[in-house]
Amino acid sequence: MKEIRVGNGFDVHKLSVGKKIKLCGVEIKNNKKLIGHSDADVGLHSLTDAILGALGKGDIGIWFPPSQKKWKNVDSAIFLKKSLQLLKKNNFLISNIDLTFICEKPKISEFRSSMIKKISKICNLDVRKINIKATTSEKLGYTGREEGIAVFTTVLIYKK
Ligand code: ZN
């Protein structure tokens, strides 16, 4: 059997007063914005970490230290593309992606298909191999109080 590997990624970003957020490359009108490293796209960060995890290549912070000013406000697709380059270099392909948002707002279901299309385009992966789902934390904890958004991603990769 050809080598298969699994990786998971988890990321959280803090919310503060704002007008829009970017989730999985999709800009969404929202009464709060995400703050943090780069454009704070918590979805793409989580996916990038899942791919790096599957490859055994550390995490996003190793490749793109938040302390470096050059990553400020950059499009997080850059980070994802780096992990895809490493994937290619190591002769792996993505089997499927399963990404879960943990938040009260925005309603992810409204943006699910545009997010899937965006990821599909960046990863050059069939939309049927990408799943995006969401759950709330029943108003409990930091996600429940809308202080932040968390994303958990699992990815399966296989050797070409
Ligand atoms: Zn992040």
Side-chain angles (χ1 to χ4, degrees):
M1 194 180 73
K2 288 201 172 176
E3 188 177 1
I4 56 167
R5 288 171 163 227
V6 68
N8 64 60
F10 179 71
D11 196 28
V12 176
H13 278 266
K14 200 172 165 181
L15 287 161
S16 75
V17 181
K19 289 177 182 158
K20 57 182 183 184
I21 51 173
K22 206 164 159 194
L23 297 174
C24 292
V26 178
E27 276 200 1
I28 299 167
K29 261 190 170 178
N30 200 51
N31 60 354
K32 285 180 180 179
K33 63 174 181 181
L34 286 170
I35 51 173
H37 190 27
S38 65
D39 62 2
D41 191 329
V42 63
L44 292 190
H45 292 181
S46 169
L47 173 56
T48 303
D49 258 355
I51 294 169
L52 291 173
L55 287 169
K57 297 285 182 192
D59 61 49
I60 196 168
I62 293 173
W63 295 90
F64 305 97
S67 54
Q68 287 180 4
K69 282 204 176 77
K70 61 178 168 181
W71 308 123
K72 193 149 173 55
N73 300 322
V74 300
D75 183 347
S76 292
I78 288 171
F79 308 148
L80 178 56
K81 283 173 188 165
K82 175 68 189 178
S83 72
L84 294 168
Q85 273 172 19
L86 290 168
L87 196 77
K88 203 174 168 188
K89 206 174 140 190
N90 289 276
N91 279 320
F92 278 98
L93 289 169
I94 295 174
S95 171
N96 72 302
I97 293 167
D98 185 20
L99 187 150
T100 307
F101 281 94
I102 305 157
C103 62
E104 301 287 332
K105 268 195 269 177
K107 266 254 169 291
I108 300 299
S109 56
E110 291 172 28
F111 307 97
R112 178 178 289 134
S113 62
S114 9
M115 289 181 190
I116 289 175
K117 273 182 208 150
K118 201 90 186 180
I119 291 175
S120 160
K121 203 175 164 195
I122 301 169
C123 297
N124 190 24
L125 186 68
D126 193 308
V127 289
R128 290 169 296 182
K129 295 181 173 183
I130 304 163
N131 188 62
I132 291 183
K133 57 192 193 291
T135 183
T136 69
S137 49
E138 300 281 338
K139 308 258 181 217
L140 297 169
Y142 61 88
T143 52
R145 291 188 298 268
E146 294 174 40
E147 292 166 4
I149 293 180
V151 180
F152 187 82
T153 306
T154 302
V155 64
L156 194 79
I157 62 171
Y158 61 98
K159 203 102 186 179
K160 261 194 237 176

